[in-house]
């Protein structure tokens, strides 16, 4: 059994805490030059690489045989034309851990895309677009064993701590242990709270959260579903897996992610959902795809057998699934 004082949990929490500090430093210095346009056109920043380098290094240092399936690799970063970016990544990482550019590139490449019975999955910055806009983003790390997410860790450096004070203190750490619960702490690890989902039973009292990006989800379909359920509260649009945290702490009743109309065949990445899903489930929530199937983390880096994602407080899960079918 893994408990919250175990070395695995402590290592993961320390890794995401340091990575989130690095991300915030980069964000504060962001001038726009740090983003590279990858072939899929998603912006990748110095912070993505720095975050992945730190987390992979700290996990491998303690658990040399562990496997990490993370979003980035250093191929682009090692190109001579990217030397300025690599220099910046090195400077930021050296603010926390010493290493040469070559070492830091090799830490990033501790990651592979081979799925085994037991592996970590990491999104060094989930919601890069939110990060670049100054909105929400998350550092998301999970441990998966035999297809089941056992542990989930998520740092949301720009998320307000207290749902009743959206303009108050920012920076949350979420973590969940299968069978033990889901928790939120402040960015420094203080003020730990056990999380539980909302108790709303009547659909018309519900509220929901969804992506900001219309390329990532079908806002129109969500709006039609809200009308069917007589939901009057406006949706809370937010980037990254922070949305799972919002459902876990009862701030929204559910999180909808119907595939975007422009990309109905898109399949979700495991690192975009593993950490968030256990955080919602351990807070009493339910997570499936839009057809009601459990999320399947065993098919490789893509969730090939799933179609979108639905996260609810459990009570309203079937109601939401049914409304999606209508
Ligand atoms: P969000 O901030 O919830 O909109 O989700 C951000 C994540 O969406 C990124 O990490 C991407 O991996 C993922 N993503 C990219 N393209 C798509 C797409 N067409 N549909 C759904 N998710 C996508
Ligand atoms: Mg992501």
């Amino acid at each position: 059994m893994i408990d919250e004082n175990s070395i695995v949990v402590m290592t993961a929490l320390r890794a995401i805490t340091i990575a989130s500090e690095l991300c915030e430093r980069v964000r504060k210095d962001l001038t726009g030059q740090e983003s590279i346009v990858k072939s899929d056109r998603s912006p990748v920043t110095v912070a993505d690489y720095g975050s992945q380098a730190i987390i992979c290094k700290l996990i491998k240092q303690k658990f040399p045989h562990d496997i990490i399936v993370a979003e980035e690799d250093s191929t682009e970063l090692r190109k001579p034309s990217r030397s300025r970016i690599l220099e910046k990544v090195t400077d930021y990482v050296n603010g926390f851990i010493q290493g040469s550019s070559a070492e830091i590139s090799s830490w990033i490449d501790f990651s592979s895309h081979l799925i085994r019975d037991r592996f970590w999955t990491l999104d060094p910055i989930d919601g890069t677009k939110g990060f670049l806009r100054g909105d929400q983003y998350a550092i998301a790390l999970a441990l998966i064993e035999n297809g089941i997410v056992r542990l989930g860790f998520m740092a949301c450096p720009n998320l307000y701590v207290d749902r009743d004070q959206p303009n108050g203190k920012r920076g949350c750490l979420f973590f969940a242990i299968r069978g033990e619960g889901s928790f939120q702490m402040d960015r420094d690890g203080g003020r730990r709270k056990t999380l539980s989902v909302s108790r709303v039973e009547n659909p018309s009292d519900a509220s929901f959260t969804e992506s900001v990006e219309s390329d990532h989800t079908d806002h129109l379909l969500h709006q039609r579903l809200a009308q069917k359920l007589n939901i009057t509260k406006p949706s809370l649009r937010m980037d990254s897996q922070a949305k799972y945290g919002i459902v876990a702490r009862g701030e929204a009743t559910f999180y909808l992610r119907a595939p975007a109309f422009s990309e109905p065949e898109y399949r979700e990445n495991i690192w975009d959902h593993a950490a968030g899903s256990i955080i919602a489930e351990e807070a009493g929530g339910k997570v499936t795809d839009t057809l009601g199937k459990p999320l399947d983390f065993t098919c490789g880096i893509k969730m090939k057998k799933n179609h979108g994602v639905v996260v609810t407080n459990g009570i309203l899960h079937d109601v939401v699934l049914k409304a999606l079918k209508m």
Side-chain angles (χ1 to χ4, degrees):
M1 199 184 85
I2 299 170
D3 69 48
E4 67 199 69
N5 297 315
S6 78
I7 189 146
V8 185
V9 173
M10 304 295 263
T11 303
L13 280 174
R14 177 163 175 260
I16 64 161
T17 302
I18 296 176
S20 71
E21 276 175 37
L22 178 144
C23 292
E24 281 296 273
R25 279 190 198 174
V26 177
R27 198 169 66 91
K28 282 176 187 142
D29 298 347
L30 202 64
T31 59
Q33 297 155 12
E34 287 85 355
S35 82
I36 299 172
V37 177
K38 275 201 304 194
S39 55
D40 68 359
R41 299 191 61 76
S42 69
V44 176
T45 63
V46 168
D48 285 81
Y49 291 120
S51 169
Q52 179 158 324
I54 282 183
I55 294 172
C56 287
K57 166 73 176 161
L58 292 176
I59 289 183
K60 278 279 177 184
Q61 195 168 286
K62 279 271 191 271
F63 309 106
H65 303 296
D66 277 11
I67 286 154
I68 307 168
V69 177
E71 181 162 18
E72 308 301 341
D73 66 60
S74 76
T75 315
E76 191 65 30
L77 200 55
R78 287 180 196 258
K79 291 183 181 165
S81 59
R82 303 297 188 200
S83 62
R84 257 197 44 148
I85 303 262
L86 180 55
E87 243 171 66
K88 285 201 164 210
V89 173
T90 307
D91 285 349
Y92 279 107
V93 171
N94 285 170
F96 302 92
I97 308 176
Q98 288 308 303
S100 65
S101 290
E103 283 168 330
I104 289 168
S105 300
S106 74
W107 299 347
I108 293 169
D109 290 337
F110 281 153
S111 157
S112 79
H113 281 183
L114 282 179
I115 305 297
R116 311 273 174 84
D117 289 350
R118 181 181 183 281
F119 65 96
W120 294 90
T121 188
L122 167 67
D123 195 342
I125 291 193
D126 180 34
T128 316
K129 289 177 180 159
F131 175 80
L132 291 169
R133 265 194 259 105
D135 291 334
Q136 293 307 322
Y137 68 100
I139 293 116
L141 174 68
L143 180 69
I144 300 181
E145 282 177 351
N146 301 315
I148 296 177
V149 186
R150 291 279 163 213
L151 298 171
F153 305 89
M154 186 167 75
C156 300
N158 200 29
L159 183 65
Y160 41 94
V161 169
D162 186 341
R163 52 180 282 193
D164 298 322
Q165 290 183 319
N167 297 318
K169 193 176 171 194
R170 282 165 187 256
C172 305
L173 287 176
F174 294 93
F175 75 101
I177 302 173
R178 181 69 62 196
E180 304 286 312
S182 189
F183 310 94
Q184 180 188 315
M185 299 186 295
D186 290 1
R187 64 191 316 154
D188 53 11
R191 289 213 313 166
R192 203 190 72 169
K193 282 188 281 199
T194 302
L195 300 178
S196 47
V197 293
S198 111
R199 305 304 306 158
V200 165
E201 290 177 14
N202 189 341
S204 61
D205 294 332
S207 63
F208 72 101
T209 179
E210 60 185 352
S211 282
V212 173
E213 298 292 330
S214 53
D215 291 352
H216 295 175
T217 202
D218 192 340
H219 289 141
L220 209 61
L221 191 142
H222 296 178
Q223 203 184 318
R224 287 204 297 268
L225 177 136
Q227 276 161 2
K228 280 181 215 160
L229 298 178
N230 296 317
I231 294 174
T232 52
K233 292 188 191 108
S235 73
L236 177 58
R237 288 194 177 167
M238 195 176 265
D239 300 286
S240 85
Q241 283 169 76
K243 292 185 281 296
Y244 281 99
I246 290 293
V247 174
R249 69 188 193 185
E251 194 172 332
T253 325
F254 59 91
Y255 160 25
L256 277 183
R257 193 182 186 87
F261 188 71
S262 55
E263 240 185 305
E265 290 312 311
Y266 179 83
R267 292 295 176 261
E268 302 284 341
N269 300 315
I270 54 172
W271 50 72
D272 282 332
H273 298 281
S277 63
I278 184 173
I279 288 163
E281 284 171 350
E282 283 296 320
K286 183 155 180 174
V287 182
T288 66
D289 71 0
T290 52
L291 304 170
K293 282 194 276 179
L295 301 189
D296 188 333
F297 296 105
T298 64
C299 308
I301 63 167
K302 288 278 176 189
M303 290 160 36
K304 291 187 191 124
K305 295 188 183 153
N306 294 117
H307 192 258
V309 177
V310 174
V311 185
T312 72
N313 66 346
I315 305 168
L316 288 178
H317 206 82
D318 290 343
V319 174
V320 172
L321 290 180
K322 202 168 150 204
L324 273 170
K325 276 193 205 132
M326 278 160 40

